[in-house]
Amino acid sequence: MTTSLVCHTHAIAPSRVIRGEQAWQQGLPAIADLCQRPALLGRSPATQGIRARLKADLIGCDLAVVESELQFDCCEDDLTRLQAQLQATACDAVIAAGGGKVLDAGKLLAHRLKLPCITVPLSAATCAGWTALANIYSPDGAFIADEALAACPDLLIFDHDLVRQAPNQTLASGIADALAKWYEASVGSGSSTDGIIQQAVQMARVLRDQLLIDAREAMAQPESEAWVRVAEACGLTAGVIGGLGGAQCRTVAAHAVHNGLTQLHACHSKLHGEKVGFGILVQLRLEERLGGNQLAAQSRRQLLPLLQELGVPVTLQDLGLGEAGLHELRAICSFACRPGSDLHHLPFDVTETDLLEALVSTDADSRSFSTSLETEA
C-alpha cells in the first residue's frame, strides 16, 4: 500500500538562542558578528530606560546604532515608515527590544528588507521573540491578519534580568497565551496522523502541566526557579511548539476570539494573552455545547480559578465590555467567524449566533463562579 505524503515546511527555531542571567552581555559578541549598523527598535516609554542601556552597550561594541520607534501597534503605516528609515540610514540588521508587537514589527522589517533579525524580549508575555510569524494590526489596534515569515530570528536573547523588570501582568498574560497551545492544538490537531504534529501536541500538554504546577509560585516569587521555568515556558517553549508543529498545529477559537475582541476599542488596554485567556474559556464552552465534549466543562472549571488568581479577564466586564451592546458583541463574533478564521479549525461548525451564545454563557458562568468563591470566603 502506497501512502501519499504531503510536503510541509517548518521554520522551527532561531538560529541561536542565548538565555539566562546576563544573557544580553553574553550576546553582544554574537550581535557584533551579525552587523555593524543595527536599527534598535522599540516603542513603550516604560522600556525607554532599558533601551538606552542596550544602545550604550551596543555603542561600546563599536556598533553604529540607529534608534527606531513604533508609533502604533505593529501596523503597515509604521512598517512603511520604518522601512524607509532603515533603508535611508543603511541599517544592516534589526534589533527588536520590547513586547510582542515590537518583536513582530522587527521580524517583519528584517524579513522585508532581507536583514538579520535579533529579538530581545523585554517581557514573557508572548513567544513572539521565537517565531516565524507576525500579527499585523490597524493603527487603532484592531487585528487584521497574520503573516508567515521565511525564517525565525537569527538571534534571540532572553535575558532574565531584563524580562524580570516587566510588570507581573505581562507574565500572567504570557501564561494564558502559552496555556492556549494545549487547549487549541489538542482540539485542532489532536487527531492528526503526522508524527511531528502529534509530538508537538504532546509538548503542549507538558507545557500546560508545567504552568499549572508553577504559575502561582512564579507570579509570587520572581527570583524563584519556578519563575525561570514559567518565563522560559512562555517566551521560548511555546514558540518551540509552534515551530515544530508548523501551520498544521492549529490555533483555534481562543485566538479567533482574541482577534474579534481587538475590533472593539474598549478591549485595547488588555494584553494579547489576557484576551486569549478569555478566548480559551469561550472555546471550551463551544466544545461542550456544540462538540458534545463533557471533559471541556471539567477543563473550564480547572482553568477558571487559576486565570482569576492571575488577574486574567474571565468576564466581559473584566475586558471592559460590561456595558457593551448586542451590536458590539455581534461585531466580535462576526470578525471571529469570518471566512479563513482560525475558529473554523474546530472539528464542528460554529455560527456567529453559536459564538455569541458562548460569549454570553461563559460570562455568566464566570460571574457565578466568582460569586460562589466570594461567598465561601
Side-chain angles (χ1 to χ4, degrees), residues 38-80:
L40 178 59
L41 179 68
R43 178 189 178 191
S44 170
T47 63
Q48 180 59 52
I50 294 176
R51 284 182 279 126
R53 283 174 39 212
L54 302 186
K55 179 183 178 182
D57 290 339
L58 293 167
I59 291 173
C61 293
D62 295 325
L63 300 181
V65 181
V66 176
E67 290 189 87
S68 301
E69 287 199 7
L70 292 177
Q71 293 178 355
F72 308 104
D73 291 338
C74 180
C75 72
E76 288 295 347
D77 288 1
D78 258 347
L79 292 168
T80 300

mmCIF file of all heavy atoms in Angstrom, residues 38-80:
data_model
loop_
_atom_site.group_PDB
_atom_site.id
_atom_site.type_symbol
_atom_site.label_atom_id
_atom_site.label_comp_id
_atom_site.label_asym_id
_atom_site.label_seq_id
_atom_site.Cartn_x
_atom_site.Cartn_y
_atom_site.Cartn_z
ATOM 1 N N PRO A 38 23.125 48.450 13.271
ATOM 2 C CA PRO A 38 21.774 47.922 13.509
ATOM 3 C C PRO A 38 20.769 49.018 13.835
ATOM 4 O O PRO A 38 21.118 50.057 14.401
ATOM 5 C CB PRO A 38 21.977 47.023 14.722
ATOM 6 C CG PRO A 38 23.070 47.715 15.490
ATOM 7 C CD PRO A 38 23.998 48.272 14.445
ATOM 8 N N ALA A 39 19.535 48.758 13.472
ATOM 9 C CA ALA A 39 18.419 49.574 13.958
ATOM 10 C C ALA A 39 17.962 48.966 15.276
ATOM 11 O O ALA A 39 17.754 47.762 15.373
ATOM 12 C CB ALA A 39 17.276 49.567 12.958
ATOM 13 N N LEU A 40 17.820 49.794 16.307
ATOM 14 C CA LEU A 40 17.309 49.349 17.604
ATOM 15 C C LEU A 40 15.862 49.801 17.698
ATOM 16 O O LEU A 40 15.576 50.990 17.842
ATOM 17 C CB LEU A 40 18.141 49.934 18.741
ATOM 18 C CG LEU A 40 17.689 49.577 20.162
ATOM 19 C CD1 LEU A 40 17.691 48.074 20.383
ATOM 20 C CD2 LEU A 40 18.577 50.276 21.199
ATOM 21 N N LEU A 41 14.955 48.840 17.591
ATOM 22 C CA LEU A 41 13.529 49.135 17.508
ATOM 23 C C LEU A 41 12.849 48.940 18.853
ATOM 24 O O LEU A 41 13.057 47.934 19.526
ATOM 25 C CB LEU A 41 12.869 48.210 16.470
ATOM 26 C CG LEU A 41 11.360 48.359 16.266
ATOM 27 C CD1 LEU A 41 11.032 49.704 15.630
ATOM 28 C CD2 LEU A 41 10.829 47.210 15.399
ATOM 29 N N GLY A 42 12.030 49.921 19.234
ATOM 30 C CA GLY A 42 11.245 49.814 20.460
ATOM 31 C C GLY A 42 9.992 50.646 20.341
ATOM 32 O O GLY A 42 9.692 51.201 19.286
ATOM 33 N N ARG A 43 9.262 50.728 21.454
ATOM 34 C CA ARG A 43 8.059 51.534 21.423
ATOM 35 C C ARG A 43 7.702 52.151 22.763
ATOM 36 O O ARG A 43 7.575 53.349 22.894
ATOM 37 C CB ARG A 43 6.868 50.705 20.936
ATOM 38 C CG ARG A 43 5.572 51.516 20.925
ATOM 39 C CD ARG A 43 4.352 50.675 20.658
ATOM 40 N NE ARG A 43 3.143 51.492 20.714
ATOM 41 C CZ ARG A 43 1.923 50.999 20.730
ATOM 42 N NH1 ARG A 43 1.740 49.704 20.688
ATOM 43 N NH2 ARG A 43 0.875 51.791 20.785
ATOM 44 N N SER A 44 7.524 51.326 23.776
ATOM 45 C CA SER A 44 6.930 51.771 25.031
ATOM 46 C C SER A 44 7.827 52.747 25.785
ATOM 47 O O SER A 44 9.025 52.490 25.964
ATOM 48 C CB SER A 44 6.643 50.567 25.931
ATOM 49 O OG SER A 44 6.281 50.981 27.218
ATOM 50 N N PRO A 45 7.268 53.870 26.262
ATOM 51 C CA PRO A 45 8.051 54.768 27.133
ATOM 52 C C PRO A 45 8.552 54.049 28.379
ATOM 53 O O PRO A 45 9.595 54.404 28.929
ATOM 54 C CB PRO A 45 7.040 55.863 27.497
ATOM 55 C CG PRO A 45 6.031 55.847 26.395
ATOM 56 C CD PRO A 45 5.929 54.414 25.962
ATOM 57 N N ALA A 46 7.831 53.012 28.813
ATOM 58 C CA ALA A 46 8.225 52.273 30.015
ATOM 59 C C ALA A 46 9.543 51.533 29.821
ATOM 60 O O ALA A 46 10.242 51.238 30.792
ATOM 61 C CB ALA A 46 7.128 51.285 30.402
ATOM 62 N N THR A 47 9.891 51.217 28.569
ATOM 63 C CA THR A 47 11.144 50.497 28.312
ATOM 64 C C THR A 47 12.233 51.417 27.760
ATOM 65 O O THR A 47 13.311 50.931 27.394
ATOM 66 C CB THR A 47 10.913 49.344 27.311
ATOM 67 O OG1 THR A 47 10.485 49.883 26.050
ATOM 68 C CG2 THR A 47 9.867 48.368 27.827
ATOM 69 N N GLN A 48 11.986 52.708 27.739
ATOM 70 C CA GLN A 48 12.953 53.630 27.166
ATOM 71 C C GLN A 48 14.293 53.570 27.901
ATOM 72 O O GLN A 48 15.366 53.595 27.286
ATOM 73 C CB GLN A 48 12.408 55.061 27.198
ATOM 74 C CG GLN A 48 13.348 56.112 26.620
ATOM 75 C CD GLN A 48 13.715 55.838 25.173
ATOM 76 O OE1 GLN A 48 12.843 55.647 24.334
ATOM 77 N NE2 GLN A 48 15.001 55.816 24.872
ATOM 78 N N GLY A 49 14.233 53.478 29.241
ATOM 79 C CA GLY A 49 15.463 53.412 30.020
ATOM 80 C C GLY A 49 16.266 52.166 29.710
ATOM 81 O O GLY A 49 17.507 52.210 29.600
ATOM 82 N N ILE A 50 15.582 51.035 29.562
ATOM 83 C CA ILE A 50 16.271 49.788 29.223
ATOM 84 C C ILE A 50 16.906 49.900 27.849
ATOM 85 O O ILE A 50 18.068 49.521 27.645
ATOM 86 C CB ILE A 50 15.291 48.592 29.266
ATOM 87 C CG1 ILE A 50 14.799 48.350 30.687
ATOM 88 C CG2 ILE A 50 15.954 47.336 28.692
ATOM 89 C CD1 ILE A 50 13.756 47.247 30.805
ATOM 90 N N ARG A 51 16.161 50.441 26.896
ATOM 91 C CA ARG A 51 16.702 50.553 25.534
ATOM 92 C C ARG A 51 17.895 51.502 25.476
ATOM 93 O O ARG A 51 18.824 51.299 24.684
ATOM 94 C CB ARG A 51 15.600 50.987 24.564
ATOM 95 C CG ARG A 51 14.652 49.836 24.231
ATOM 96 C CD ARG A 51 13.586 50.228 23.230
ATOM 97 N NE ARG A 51 12.498 50.938 23.862
ATOM 98 C CZ ARG A 51 12.048 52.119 23.492
ATOM 99 N NH1 ARG A 51 12.627 52.758 22.482
ATOM 100 N NH2 ARG A 51 11.028 52.679 24.103
ATOM 101 N N ALA A 52 17.899 52.523 26.331
ATOM 102 C CA ALA A 52 19.056 53.429 26.398
ATOM 103 C C ALA A 52 20.296 52.663 26.867
ATOM 104 O O ALA A 52 21.409 52.886 26.351
ATOM 105 C CB ALA A 52 18.754 54.598 27.333
ATOM 106 N N ARG A 53 20.103 51.756 27.812
ATOM 107 C CA ARG A 53 21.223 50.932 28.282
ATOM 108 C C ARG A 53 21.700 49.995 27.186
ATOM 109 O O ARG A 53 22.901 49.796 26.988
ATOM 110 C CB ARG A 53 20.799 50.118 29.503
ATOM 111 C CG ARG A 53 20.726 50.902 30.807
ATOM 112 C CD ARG A 53 20.149 50.052 31.922
ATOM 113 N NE ARG A 53 20.606 48.668 31.876
ATOM 114 C CZ ARG A 53 19.884 47.636 32.259
ATOM 115 N NH1 ARG A 53 18.647 47.810 32.699
ATOM 116 N NH2 ARG A 53 20.381 46.413 32.206
ATOM 117 N N LEU A 54 20.753 49.395 26.466
ATOM 118 C CA LEU A 54 21.123 48.492 25.377
ATOM 119 C C LEU A 54 21.906 49.242 24.300
ATOM 120 O O LEU A 54 22.913 48.740 23.775
ATOM 121 C CB LEU A 54 19.874 47.848 24.764
ATOM 122 C CG LEU A 54 18.959 47.032 25.691
ATOM 123 C CD1 LEU A 54 17.850 46.360 24.873
ATOM 124 C CD2 LEU A 54 19.728 46.007 26.488
ATOM 125 N N LYS A 55 21.432 50.445 23.985
ATOM 126 C CA LYS A 55 22.125 51.245 22.972
ATOM 127 C C LYS A 55 23.559 51.551 23.406
ATOM 128 O O LYS A 55 24.505 51.422 22.608
ATOM 129 C CB LYS A 55 21.362 52.549 22.724
ATOM 130 C CG LYS A 55 22.039 53.455 21.707
ATOM 131 C CD LYS A 55 21.289 54.775 21.539
ATOM 132 C CE LYS A 55 22.022 55.686 20.561
ATOM 133 N NZ LYS A 55 21.339 57.002 20.409
ATOM 134 N N ALA A 56 23.726 51.931 24.680
ATOM 135 C CA ALA A 56 25.068 52.245 25.182
ATOM 136 C C ALA A 56 25.984 51.027 25.083
ATOM 137 O O ALA A 56 27.162 51.146 24.708
ATOM 138 C CB ALA A 56 24.981 52.735 26.626
ATOM 139 N N ASP A 57 25.452 49.849 25.411
ATOM 140 C CA ASP A 57 26.254 48.632 25.318
ATOM 141 C C ASP A 57 26.641 48.333 23.870
ATOM 142 O O ASP A 57 27.758 47.896 23.588
ATOM 143 C CB ASP A 57 25.478 47.445 25.891
ATOM 144 C CG ASP A 57 25.317 47.522 27.408
ATOM 145 O OD1 ASP A 57 26.110 48.232 28.048
ATOM 146 O OD2 ASP A 57 24.388 46.876 27.936
ATOM 147 N N LEU A 58 25.705 48.560 22.951
ATOM 148 C CA LEU A 58 25.994 48.321 21.535
ATOM 149 C C LEU A 58 27.058 49.286 21.017
ATOM 150 O O LEU A 58 27.972 48.885 20.278
ATOM 151 C CB LEU A 58 24.705 48.451 20.715
ATOM 152 C CG LEU A 58 23.643 47.376 20.967
ATOM 153 C CD1 LEU A 58 22.304 47.793 20.355
ATOM 154 C CD2 LEU A 58 24.082 46.025 20.401
ATOM 155 N N ILE A 59 26.930 50.537 21.418
ATOM 156 C CA ILE A 59 27.935 51.532 21.017
ATOM 157 C C ILE A 59 29.298 51.149 21.591
ATOM 158 O O ILE A 59 30.346 51.323 20.945
ATOM 159 C CB ILE A 59 27.508 52.941 21.474
ATOM 160 C CG1 ILE A 59 26.292 53.395 20.664
ATOM 161 C CG2 ILE A 59 28.649 53.941 21.323
ATOM 162 C CD1 ILE A 59 25.677 54.690 21.149
ATOM 163 N N GLY A 60 29.286 50.586 22.811
ATOM 164 C CA GLY A 60 30.528 50.133 23.432
ATOM 165 C C GLY A 60 31.194 49.004 22.667
ATOM 166 O O GLY A 60 32.391 48.743 22.849
ATOM 167 N N CYS A 61 30.438 48.347 21.809
ATOM 168 C CA CYS A 61 30.988 47.293 20.939
ATOM 169 C C CYS A 61 31.331 47.834 19.554
ATOM 170 O O CYS A 61 31.489 47.071 18.595
ATOM 171 C CB CYS A 61 29.986 46.155 20.800
ATOM 172 S SG CYS A 61 29.702 45.247 22.327
ATOM 173 N N ASP A 62 31.399 49.172 19.452
ATOM 174 C CA ASP A 62 31.749 49.856 18.193
ATOM 175 C C ASP A 62 30.703 49.667 17.107
ATOM 176 O O ASP A 62 31.024 49.660 15.907
ATOM 177 C CB ASP A 62 33.121 49.384 17.672
ATOM 178 C CG ASP A 62 34.257 49.765 18.617
ATOM 179 O OD1 ASP A 62 34.168 50.846 19.228
ATOM 180 O OD2 ASP A 62 35.192 48.971 18.751
ATOM 181 N N LEU A 63 29.441 49.525 17.523
ATOM 182 C CA LEU A 63 28.347 49.457 16.559
ATOM 183 C C LEU A 63 27.701 50.826 16.424
ATOM 184 O O LEU A 63 27.536 51.545 17.418
ATOM 185 C CB LEU A 63 27.307 48.433 16.994
ATOM 186 C CG LEU A 63 27.805 46.983 17.155
ATOM 187 C CD1 LEU A 63 26.653 46.077 17.573
ATOM 188 C CD2 LEU A 63 28.438 46.468 15.864
ATOM 189 N N ALA A 64 27.344 51.205 15.200
ATOM 190 C CA ALA A 64 26.654 52.474 14.937
ATOM 191 C C ALA A 64 25.156 52.199 15.014
ATOM 192 O O ALA A 64 24.584 51.571 14.115
ATOM 193 C CB ALA A 64 27.040 53.022 13.569
ATOM 194 N N VAL A 65 24.503 52.661 16.069
ATOM 195 C CA VAL A 65 23.109 52.299 16.339
ATOM 196 C C VAL A 65 22.164 53.370 15.808
ATOM 197 O O VAL A 65 22.347 54.563 16.058
ATOM 198 C CB VAL A 65 22.876 52.115 17.851
ATOM 199 C CG1 VAL A 65 21.434 51.705 18.128
ATOM 200 C CG2 VAL A 65 23.854 51.087 18.411
ATOM 201 N N VAL A 66 21.145 52.939 15.071
ATOM 202 C CA VAL A 66 20.083 53.828 14.602
ATOM 203 C C VAL A 66 18.828 53.530 15.418
ATOM 204 O O VAL A 66 18.317 52.403 15.387
ATOM 205 C CB VAL A 66 19.789 53.610 13.097
ATOM 206 C CG1 VAL A 66 18.611 54.467 12.648
ATOM 207 C CG2 VAL A 66 21.032 53.902 12.271
ATOM 208 N N GLU A 67 18.347 54.506 16.187
ATOM 209 C CA GLU A 67 17.154 54.299 17.001
ATOM 210 C C GLU A 67 15.893 54.419 16.145
ATOM 211 O O GLU A 67 15.743 55.358 15.367
ATOM 212 C CB GLU A 67 17.099 55.315 18.141
ATOM 213 C CG GLU A 67 18.155 55.092 19.212
ATOM 214 C CD GLU A 67 17.932 55.986 20.422
ATOM 215 O OE1 GLU A 67 17.186 55.594 21.329
ATOM 216 O OE2 GLU A 67 18.504 57.092 20.422
ATOM 217 N N SER A 68 14.984 53.466 16.314
ATOM 218 C CA SER A 68 13.719 53.466 15.589
ATOM 219 C C SER A 68 12.600 53.189 16.577
ATOM 220 O O SER A 68 12.772 52.364 17.480
ATOM 221 C CB SER A 68 13.716 52.391 14.498
ATOM 222 O OG SER A 68 14.765 52.613 13.573
ATOM 223 N N GLU A 69 11.464 53.850 16.374
ATOM 224 C CA GLU A 69 10.354 53.658 17.302
ATOM 225 C C GLU A 69 9.039 53.456 16.570
ATOM 226 O O GLU A 69 8.747 54.149 15.597
ATOM 227 C CB GLU A 69 10.218 54.868 18.242
ATOM 228 C CG GLU A 69 11.299 54.937 19.297
ATOM 229 C CD GLU A 69 10.915 55.827 20.467
ATOM 230 O OE1 GLU A 69 9.750 56.283 20.532
ATOM 231 O OE2 GLU A 69 11.795 56.071 21.315
ATOM 232 N N LEU A 70 8.268 52.489 17.055
ATOM 233 C CA LEU A 70 6.898 52.334 16.585
ATOM 234 C C LEU A 70 6.044 53.447 17.160
ATOM 235 O O LEU A 70 6.217 53.851 18.308
ATOM 236 C CB LEU A 70 6.316 50.992 17.048
ATOM 237 C CG LEU A 70 6.885 49.698 16.467
ATOM 238 C CD1 LEU A 70 6.209 48.515 17.125
ATOM 239 C CD2 LEU A 70 6.710 49.647 14.968
ATOM 240 N N GLN A 71 5.106 53.921 16.362
ATOM 241 C CA GLN A 71 4.144 54.893 16.860
ATOM 242 C C GLN A 71 2.844 54.220 17.275
ATOM 243 O O GLN A 71 2.111 54.730 18.117
ATOM 244 C CB GLN A 71 3.864 55.953 15.786
ATOM 245 C CG GLN A 71 5.057 56.839 15.477
ATOM 246 C CD GLN A 71 4.768 57.850 14.371
ATOM 247 O OE1 GLN A 71 3.701 57.833 13.757
ATOM 248 N NE2 GLN A 71 5.734 58.718 14.109
ATOM 249 N N PHE A 72 2.559 53.065 16.676
ATOM 250 C CA PHE A 72 1.313 52.343 16.950
ATOM 251 C C PHE A 72 1.662 50.903 17.289
ATOM 252 O O PHE A 72 2.786 50.589 17.653
ATOM 253 C CB PHE A 72 0.394 52.397 15.717
ATOM 254 C CG PHE A 72 0.157 53.768 15.182
ATOM 255 C CD1 PHE A 72 0.801 54.204 14.033
ATOM 256 C CD2 PHE A 72 -0.709 54.640 15.826
ATOM 257 C CE1 PHE A 72 0.580 55.480 13.521
ATOM 258 C CE2 PHE A 72 -0.938 55.913 15.339
ATOM 259 C CZ PHE A 72 -0.289 56.337 14.184
ATOM 260 N N ASP A 73 0.678 50.020 17.191
ATOM 261 C CA ASP A 73 0.961 48.593 17.231
ATOM 262 C C ASP A 73 1.633 48.223 15.915
ATOM 263 O O ASP A 73 1.885 49.084 15.080
ATOM 264 C CB ASP A 73 -0.340 47.797 17.424
ATOM 265 C CG ASP A 73 -0.938 47.992 18.816
ATOM 266 O OD1 ASP A 73 -0.184 48.371 19.730
ATOM 267 O OD2 ASP A 73 -2.144 47.774 18.978
ATOM 268 N N CYS A 74 1.934 46.960 15.733
ATOM 269 C CA CYS A 74 2.585 46.526 14.502
ATOM 270 C C CYS A 74 1.613 46.695 13.339
ATOM 271 O O CYS A 74 0.744 45.855 13.106
ATOM 272 C CB CYS A 74 3.005 45.059 14.639
ATOM 273 S SG CYS A 74 3.814 44.388 13.187
ATOM 274 N N CYS A 75 1.724 47.814 12.610
ATOM 275 C CA CYS A 75 0.788 48.110 11.528
ATOM 276 C C CYS A 75 1.543 48.561 10.286
ATOM 277 O O CYS A 75 2.707 48.962 10.351
ATOM 278 C CB CYS A 75 -0.223 49.165 11.960
ATOM 279 S SG CYS A 75 0.462 50.828 12.111
ATOM 280 N N GLU A 76 0.870 48.502 9.143
ATOM 281 C CA GLU A 76 1.529 48.811 7.875
ATOM 282 C C GLU A 76 2.008 50.250 7.799
ATOM 283 O O GLU A 76 3.030 50.533 7.188
ATOM 284 C CB GLU A 76 0.590 48.498 6.705
ATOM 285 C CG GLU A 76 0.395 47.001 6.451
ATOM 286 C CD GLU A 76 1.672 46.294 6.017
ATOM 287 O OE1 GLU A 76 2.665 46.962 5.669
ATOM 288 O OE2 GLU A 76 1.677 45.042 6.026
ATOM 289 N N ASP A 77 1.274 51.185 8.422
ATOM 290 C CA ASP A 77 1.719 52.581 8.405
ATOM 291 C C ASP A 77 3.108 52.707 9.025
ATOM 292 O O ASP A 77 4.003 53.359 8.477
ATOM 293 C CB ASP A 77 0.729 53.469 9.172
ATOM 294 C CG ASP A 77 -0.584 53.654 8.424
ATOM 295 O OD1 ASP A 77 -0.727 53.080 7.326
ATOM 296 O OD2 ASP A 77 -1.467 54.362 8.937
ATOM 297 N N ASP A 78 3.280 52.094 10.194
ATOM 298 C CA ASP A 78 4.574 52.124 10.866
ATOM 299 C C ASP A 78 5.633 51.369 10.066
ATOM 300 O O ASP A 78 6.769 51.825 9.924
ATOM 301 C CB ASP A 78 4.453 51.474 12.248
ATOM 302 C CG ASP A 78 4.371 52.514 13.372
ATOM 303 O OD1 ASP A 78 4.650 53.690 13.124
ATOM 304 O OD2 ASP A 78 4.023 52.127 14.499
ATOM 305 N N LEU A 79 5.264 50.214 9.563
ATOM 306 C CA LEU A 79 6.233 49.387 8.840
ATOM 307 C C LEU A 79 6.752 50.097 7.594
ATOM 308 O O LEU A 79 7.951 50.069 7.299
ATOM 309 C CB LEU A 79 5.606 48.046 8.470
ATOM 310 C CG LEU A 79 5.292 47.117 9.658
ATOM 311 C CD1 LEU A 79 4.408 45.962 9.209
ATOM 312 C CD2 LEU A 79 6.578 46.587 10.283
ATOM 313 N N THR A 80 5.858 50.759 6.878
ATOM 314 C CA THR A 80 6.270 51.502 5.679
ATOM 315 C C THR A 80 7.229 52.633 6.040
ATOM 316 O O THR A 80 8.269 52.831 5.396
ATOM 317 C CB THR A 80 5.034 52.061 4.953
ATOM 318 O OG1 THR A 80 4.184 50.980 4.568
ATOM 319 C CG2 THR A 80 5.441 52.847 3.717
#
